[in-house]
Amino acid sequence: MKLYSYKQIQEIEAASLAATGRTPSELNEALGGEAAEAIAEVLAECGCRPVVFAGPKRCGAIALATARGLARKGRRARVYFFNIRGTSASAEATAARDAYVGECGADGFEEVTGNFSMPELSGHDLVVDGLFGSEAEGPLGGAYQALVRRINESGARIVAIDMPSGLPADGAPGLINRNIIHADLTLALGMPRLAYFPAENAELVGQWQSLDAGFSRAAAADMPVGYYLIERKQVRRILAPRQPDTSKADYGSLVIFAGSFGMMGAAQLATRAALRAGCGKVTCHGPRHGYFILQTAAPEALFEADPGDAYIRDIELRRNYSAVAIGPGIGTADATVDALESFLKVANANSRALVLDADALNCIAMRPTLLDYIPVMSVITPHAGEFDRLFGPQPGPDARLAKAIEVAMFYKIIVVLKGHHTAVVRPDGRVCYNPTGSAALATAGTGDVLTGVIGALMAQGLSSELAASAGVYIHGLAGTMAEKVHGSYGVTAGDVADNIGRAINTIMN
């Protein structure tokens, strides 16, 4: 799915109005009706009382249309319409006000023209934030800032229309989050926008849902973008159904160089995940002392013993494997760094794409010249700390993503920048955000699981780009499945690995 900037969505909206002959007011009415449907579903689930805060411009007009739609469904809301000094409201907002009062009456409706007494809100309320949406051009100030803070602190559920109030249309780093609405759900006008997905905005946007209201699909399809959202239907197309007349030889072979003394858990997690992701034959190459650990934890896999007892000293291919992954738990001993350097130079000369994660990236960070030997189309999977060790400290998520795009294009590799919405950055500069996963994945070892999944998909014949995108989607879905059983506090990386197969089955079926 394409992700659009605010300006692009405006252009698509203008094309949609031209194609259908509808007026902007009619579009607002349609959007308000769809918003009411979505909010009514939330109300049916939580049993909350709706409270609508409508701003003086277009977002407020849509919020008032939403309040009318809720009233028609028997979910009459308390409504506060902000028209400071009686002159700040736009023509479309005042028309929406008149329509609301004309249909629903003035009971429970307050037009705020001056001093405002904040209503008591609690966890029994659902706030519809229709204050500003994309209309905020900078930080909120004065009374609006105080209002937003009170809403955030109330404990009420919050549904934002278009954008959480106080967050500019295309997002902006460095704003004070307590001065921006923290939505549980954001209702996108037409389609989700790019600003929903950067890490610093995720906690403000919450979940999101699109209000279609007849936006032109042709105009959206024709709009060129550089950002995308990974979708289940795309992953389903990537994962071919298995035929009954196949064998393990048809599903590739993967070798994972992993483990060191005290870090054999990383090796077994990556190995188990690769097995669950459908790789025909998985081999773990690790230090000699890990033999009994791996053969016990993952008896379905082969174990290839390194000459080193406590850490890997030799990284070379003893067989013709379909794919190679390096990094989980290998440590940063000098001999391991030397072995990685030798292998990267050979792999680079042979243009052999790899999966590099965890300590492989830390080893490279210790010898930055090794960046030049990462084979083209390899996949690296750093979290923020690993990325900054490799490419220098970044002031924030926006800068880190920009640097990741630069790195992917310069080295011609795929950068999987792990986070709340993991970004898969391709060598052509395109960015694919992953929508799956939750806070349950914030536990040690889940990155090792992801390495195993991506490596297994590459072993089965997927390109690096497709394996990375499908891998992060599957991994996130497996984490959500594990969370349903163990709760967000109780999930371990092993639980995620054990749910990889179930996640793939859910996607396929």
Side-chain angles (χ1 to χ4, degrees), residues 48 189 213 265 270 272:
C48 295
L189 305 187
R272 286 168 53 195

Side-chain angles (χ1 to χ4, degrees), residues 216-494:
S216 170
R217 294 182 181 274
D222 291 342
M223 184 69 66
V225 300
Y227 295 84
Y228 299 83
L229 187 69
I230 302 168
E231 294 184 277
R232 179 176 297 195
K233 62 184 180 182
Q234 296 169 321
V235 178
R236 185 187 299 120
R237 286 197 296 267
I238 291 170
L239 302 174
R242 296 202 159 183
Q243 302 303 317
D245 59 344
T246 54
S247 72
K248 63 185 178 183
D250 296 301
Y251 300 112
S253 59
L254 169 69
V255 61
I256 305 173
F257 291 88
S260 60
F261 187 81
M263 291 289 288
M264 290 308 299
Q268 63 99 351
L269 286 167
T271 302
R272 286 168 53 195
L275 291 164
R276 290 293 188 189
C279 186
K281 292 179 284 187
V282 180
T283 299
C284 177
H285 178 111
R288 190 176 299 157
H289 88 278
Y291 172 79
F292 289 108
I293 297 171
L294 256 295
Q295 291 297 89
T296 301
E300 304 89 347
L302 299 172
F303 183 79
E304 186 176 271
D306 188 87
D309 287 327
Y311 50 81
I312 292 174
R313 299 188 313 182
D314 177 26
I315 301 178
E316 62 178 53
L317 301 183
R318 301 178 185 177
R319 295 179 178 83
N320 185 25
Y321 297 101
S322 307
V324 179
I326 308 174
I330 63 174
T332 56
D334 287 344
T336 303
V337 181
D338 290 340
L340 178 61
E341 179 174 357
S342 297
F343 182 78
L344 286 178
K345 289 178 177 178
V346 173
N348 180 273
N350 294 326
S351 298
R352 171 146 204 168
L354 313 169
V355 183
L356 299 169
D357 180 39
D359 279 334
L361 302 180
N362 292 328
C363 289
I364 294 170
M366 294 172 66
R367 296 185 189 174
T369 56
L370 296 186
L371 286 168
D372 294 325
Y373 295 102
I374 297 177
V376 297
M377 300 309 294
S378 289
V379 180
I380 67 171
T381 60
H383 55 60
E386 291 165 341
F387 185 89
D388 287 4
R389 281 193 289 274
L390 277 170
F391 304 109
Q394 304 299 317
D398 266 3
R400 190 169 295 110
L401 179 61
K403 185 66 175 180
I405 295 171
E406 176 188 323
V407 164
M409 296 178 71
F410 182 80
Y411 291 105
K412 294 182 174 55
I413 59 176
I414 293 91
V415 180
V416 176
L417 191 57
K418 293 184 287 195
H420 178 73
H421 289 299
T422 291
V424 179
V425 186
R426 298 184 172 190
D428 61 2
R430 295 187 181 188
V431 178
C432 298
Y433 281 107
N434 178 49
T436 63
S438 70
L441 290 171
T443 187
T446 54
D448 305 315
V449 173
L450 177 61
T451 298
V453 174
I454 295 175
L457 295 176
M458 288 174 63
Q460 292 171 73
L462 293 186
S463 69
S464 305
E465 293 170 314
L466 294 180
S469 294
V472 297
Y473 189 97
I474 293 165
H475 178 258
L477 184 57
T480 301
M481 289 178 163
E483 182 180 28
K484 289 179 180 178
V485 177
H486 301 284
S488 60
Y489 280 72
V491 170
T492 67

